[in-house]
Amino acid sequence: MENKNKSMGNHVLILDFGSQYTRLIARRVRELHVYSEIVPYTVGIDKIKTLAPGAVILSGGPSSVYEKNAPRTRQDILNTGIPLLGICYGLQLIAYLSQMKVAPAGGREYGLANLEILKESKLLAGVTNQSNVWMSHGDKITGFPEDYLVTARTTNCDIAVIESQKRKIYGVQFHPEVVHTPEGKKILGNFLFNIAGMKPDWDMGNFVHSAVDHIRETVGKEKVILGLSGGVDSTVLALLLKKALGEQTAPVFIDNGLLRKNEYNELMTRFKEKLELDVTGIDASEKFLARLANVRSPERKRKIIGKTFIDVFSTVQAKTGKVKFLAQGTLYPDVIESVSVNGPSATIKSHHNVGGLPKKMHWQLIEPFRELFKDEVRQIGRELGLEEEYIMRHPFPGPGLAVRVLGAVTKERLQILREADAILIEELHRFNIYDAVWQAFVVLLPVKSVGVMGDLRTYENVAAVRLVESVDGMTADWYAAPPEFLKKVAGRIVNEVKGINRVVYDLTSKPPGTIEWE
């Protein structure tokens, strides 16, 4: 989406070479209140000059620059006079285009390393010597032109930072955009403000204004169907569309039989009475559950759910008349896990509203949040007046409880999970933990265990409790919940939910796991 409020020359172009962290670069730049725009690495130099950015950043990527089909941009990028920062693969590409030597390193370096600052550096001004940086590389640079300086190194990387003040070209072998590089934002700020001379003049209020203009321009006088899920993303999108289009929007909330306890009725009341949305409610639970019968594959579940949503949405046109657009609250973590965006990033799983949609649809998609993260959408919600209690609601997957009932999805197993999940949420609030975690939920496993209740043998389901901390959903760590909380939750679930006799706690981070189990 083009941002019409960006200042000419005061925005950043990010060339994407396939890194799953590319949107994190854009996010960090936006956090510094500078507008950023991601473009494919194939964008031409003429186009870059037309866009007139104040700075260009080359992203990381999974390739090696000396590979035959490695993604590359033209050498002209070094001669535009626009300040240039290369990150990881981007640094190696700068080296390659400058006729430096890039070759496989003797020892690969992944994870945390200490950055040793060697010389005075504009890029590293104010950065603590020996601070942690997040490395991810298997290649090294040897030999470089005289007007480049090596200003920092790590134990396994003699050239960790290069600078050419004359050419306004800078490069880092680590990832300043990830949270594992604590002073990464300071480094990016040095590049933007001290080197490129940019001004911090952009915020999410600008995004809202720009998004409203873009939606109006795209939709014209046509109608838009919005699939409400009850989550933060689709609710904020409903308010944005209401601001942009008014009655041209047809919000639809479908009971797919995969919602949490009492969720459908509670949310319908909330949508209509508190948010004043003209919502059409549809009970399609039997259709969804019939199509999911005996389906065990997570990918098949997501694709079936995605197609069924589209089929149900199609029935709404009988009430609204012809509709040209379908709006969704898709976020960047959904996209990056589902598809390769501009480069060779790996598919992890299909999200029902990304990879799970049919390839051919008679609607055009509107996804204003596609390059945003959850906390950014929450900020948009604040801009639009959504109350804090709802803004901080935990993420809930579009496929609902279907991806938390592992294996076959049945009414009986869904009901067991609903009761266990309701207990967890209730205790999170009682212990004042709900707002301290990113997401918390129960997973019903396709496993039974032997137990004993009242001197009788039981053979019932195992449930897993998962609580995670995260900033943006791209990475997450398990939450060290108080033992007394876990004891209370496990005790209540086993005693109050018929069908569960054992509760376990998930201690897996993302990566290597994902937040959801499916």
Side-chain angles (χ1 to χ4, degrees), residues 107 156 168 196 236 260 394:
N156 292 328
K168 299 181 183 177
V236 172
R260 290 169 288 201
H394 287 179

PDB file of all heavy atoms in Angstrom, residues 107 156 168 196 236 260 394:
ATOM      1  N   GLY A 107      34.435 -21.430   9.892  1.00  0.00           N
ATOM      2  CA  GLY A 107      33.495 -21.788  10.953  1.00  0.00           C
ATOM      3  C   GLY A 107      32.258 -20.926  10.852  1.00  0.00           C
ATOM      4  O   GLY A 107      32.340 -19.712  10.788  1.00  0.00           O
ATOM      5  N   ASN A 156      34.415 -15.065  15.476  1.00  0.00           N
ATOM      6  CA  ASN A 156      34.501 -15.870  14.252  1.00  0.00           C
ATOM      7  C   ASN A 156      34.303 -15.060  12.975  1.00  0.00           C
ATOM      8  O   ASN A 156      34.173 -15.629  11.901  1.00  0.00           O
ATOM      9  CB  ASN A 156      33.450 -16.994  14.289  1.00  0.00           C
ATOM     10  CG  ASN A 156      33.760 -18.035  15.341  1.00  0.00           C
ATOM     11  OD1 ASN A 156      34.924 -18.303  15.635  1.00  0.00           O
ATOM     12  ND2 ASN A 156      32.733 -18.622  15.918  1.00  0.00           N
ATOM     13  N   LYS A 168      28.892   6.648   1.378  1.00  0.00           N
ATOM     14  CA  LYS A 168      27.664   6.536   2.185  1.00  0.00           C
ATOM     15  C   LYS A 168      27.132   5.102   2.167  1.00  0.00           C
ATOM     16  O   LYS A 168      25.913   4.862   2.081  1.00  0.00           O
ATOM     17  CB  LYS A 168      26.585   7.502   1.688  1.00  0.00           C
ATOM     18  CG  LYS A 168      26.972   8.970   1.763  1.00  0.00           C
ATOM     19  CD  LYS A 168      25.826   9.847   1.276  1.00  0.00           C
ATOM     20  CE  LYS A 168      26.229  11.331   1.282  1.00  0.00           C
ATOM     21  NZ  LYS A 168      25.147  12.194   0.742  1.00  0.00           N
ATOM     22  N   ALA A 196      21.947   9.294   7.293  1.00  0.00           N
ATOM     23  CA  ALA A 196      21.045   9.653   6.196  1.00  0.00           C
ATOM     24  C   ALA A 196      20.325  10.982   6.435  1.00  0.00           C
ATOM     25  O   ALA A 196      19.690  11.508   5.517  1.00  0.00           O
ATOM     26  CB  ALA A 196      20.022   8.543   5.975  1.00  0.00           C
ATOM     27  N   VAL A 236     -10.395  -4.561  14.597  1.00  0.00           N
ATOM     28  CA  VAL A 236      -9.787  -3.276  14.243  1.00  0.00           C
ATOM     29  C   VAL A 236     -10.044  -2.976  12.766  1.00  0.00           C
ATOM     30  O   VAL A 236     -10.338  -1.836  12.394  1.00  0.00           O
ATOM     31  CB  VAL A 236      -8.276  -3.275  14.559  1.00  0.00           C
ATOM     32  CG1 VAL A 236      -7.610  -2.006  14.019  1.00  0.00           C
ATOM     33  CG2 VAL A 236      -8.040  -3.384  16.060  1.00  0.00           C
ATOM     34  N   ARG A 260     -14.649 -20.559  21.080  1.00  0.00           N
ATOM     35  CA  ARG A 260     -14.548 -20.871  22.497  1.00  0.00           C
ATOM     36  C   ARG A 260     -15.920 -20.843  23.179  1.00  0.00           C
ATOM     37  O   ARG A 260     -16.921 -20.487  22.563  1.00  0.00           O
ATOM     38  CB  ARG A 260     -13.577 -19.889  23.163  1.00  0.00           C
ATOM     39  CG  ARG A 260     -12.140 -20.121  22.753  1.00  0.00           C
ATOM     40  CD  ARG A 260     -11.201 -19.010  23.171  1.00  0.00           C
ATOM     41  NE  ARG A 260     -11.401 -17.805  22.395  1.00  0.00           N
ATOM     42  CZ  ARG A 260     -10.479 -16.842  22.269  1.00  0.00           C
ATOM     43  NH1 ARG A 260      -9.318 -16.960  22.873  1.00  0.00           N
ATOM     44  NH2 ARG A 260     -10.728 -15.769  21.552  1.00  0.00           N
ATOM     45  N   HIS A 394      -5.958 -11.784  23.782  1.00  0.00           N
ATOM     46  CA  HIS A 394      -4.962 -12.690  23.216  1.00  0.00           C
ATOM     47  C   HIS A 394      -5.314 -13.066  21.777  1.00  0.00           C
ATOM     48  O   HIS A 394      -6.495 -13.155  21.419  1.00  0.00           O
ATOM     49  CB  HIS A 394      -4.885 -13.975  24.038  1.00  0.00           C
ATOM     50  CG  HIS A 394      -4.229 -13.806  25.363  1.00  0.00           C
ATOM     51  ND1 HIS A 394      -4.075 -14.832  26.259  1.00  0.00           N
ATOM     52  CD2 HIS A 394      -3.678 -12.722  25.973  1.00  0.00           C
ATOM     53  CE1 HIS A 394      -3.462 -14.402  27.352  1.00  0.00           C
ATOM     54  NE2 HIS A 394      -3.216 -13.123  27.189  1.00  0.00           N
TER      55      HIS A 394
END
